[in-house]
Amino acid sequence: MSTVYYALFHCLARCCADTLVGKTLRGSRAWNLAYRSLSHGRAREACSQKYLVRSFPREIQDFADLLVDLQKERHAADYDSAQFFFKSNVEGHLRNAQAAVERFEASDIRHRRQFAAHVLFRERQ
C-alpha cells in the first residue's frame, strides 16, 4: 500500500517541478527544490479542499481524491499493526493509481501547472 501511495505522491512532486521549473531542468537545484517542497501533509490538505479542487478538470479531481484515500491506506498499512490487506485489494488500488496517473499526466499542462501551485503554495489572507 505504501508503494501505491508513493507512486501518486511522486507523480505530483514531479508535476510540481516539471510545470513550475521545467522538464529540461530536471536534476538542477531549482528543480530539486520544487520537487522536494511538496510535503505529505500539504498534499493531503490541498487535495482535500473540495471547493477548490472541483474547479479543476475531472482527471485532476480524481487524482486528488485518490491521493487522499491512498494516504489514509498507507497510514493504516505503515502504522496499524492490526491492519492487513488482501493482495487482490492492493492490486485493485494499484490499477486505480496507474489509471489515475495516466489520466493526470495526459491532462492539459495549464491545469497541471495551476494544480501544482495549489498544492505547493498557501493563500495569504
Side-chain angles (χ1 to χ4, degrees), residues 14-53:
R14 189 174 49 257
C15 170
C16 291
D18 283 350
T19 61
L20 298 177
V21 177
K23 282 184 180 183
T24 60
L25 294 174
R26 281 186 178 174
S28 71
R29 187 172 184 277
W31 191 91
N32 286 323
L33 179 62
Y35 187 96
R36 298 283 298 149
S37 290
L38 183 65
S39 73
H40 297 281
R42 177 64 192 146
R44 181 190 64 249
E45 178 185 321
C47 289
S48 297
Q49 293 174 323
K50 299 293 186 193
Y51 64 97
L52 290 173
V53 172

Side-chain angles (χ1 to χ4, degrees), residues 1-6 9 40-41 44 67-80 83 85:
M1 283 310 307
S2 291
T3 302
V4 176
Y5 162 73
Y6 277 108
F9 179 80
H40 297 281
R44 181 190 64 249
L67 187 132
V68 171
D69 292 343
L70 288 177
Q71 191 180 88
K72 291 175 190 170
E73 294 290 329
R74 181 193 76 91
H75 284 165
D78 290 355
Y79 303 117
D80 183 353
Q83 186 68 261
F85 295 89

Side-chain angles (χ1 to χ4, degrees), residues 52-94:
L52 290 173
V53 172
R54 295 301 170 236
S55 68
F56 290 97
R58 171 60 55 196
E59 303 85 11
I60 293 176
Q61 292 177 40
D62 292 345
F63 182 92
D65 290 343
L66 188 58
L67 187 132
V68 171
D69 292 343
L70 288 177
Q71 191 180 88
K72 291 175 190 170
E73 294 290 329
R74 181 193 76 91
H75 284 165
D78 290 355
Y79 303 117
D80 183 353
S81 60
Q83 186 68 261
F84 66 93
F85 295 89
F86 292 104
K87 181 180 177 182
S88 59
N89 288 347
V90 175
E91 290 172 340
H93 286 301
L94 179 58

Side-chain angles (χ1 to χ4, degrees), residues 92-115:
H93 286 301
L94 179 58
R95 283 189 298 276
N96 291 341
Q98 287 172 324
V101 165
E102 288 172 7
R103 289 190 307 270
F104 178 80
E105 289 180 339
S107 67
D108 189 299
I109 191 164
R110 292 172 298 172
H111 295 128
R112 283 184 283 131
R113 184 176 295 120
Q114 291 170 351
F115 189 65

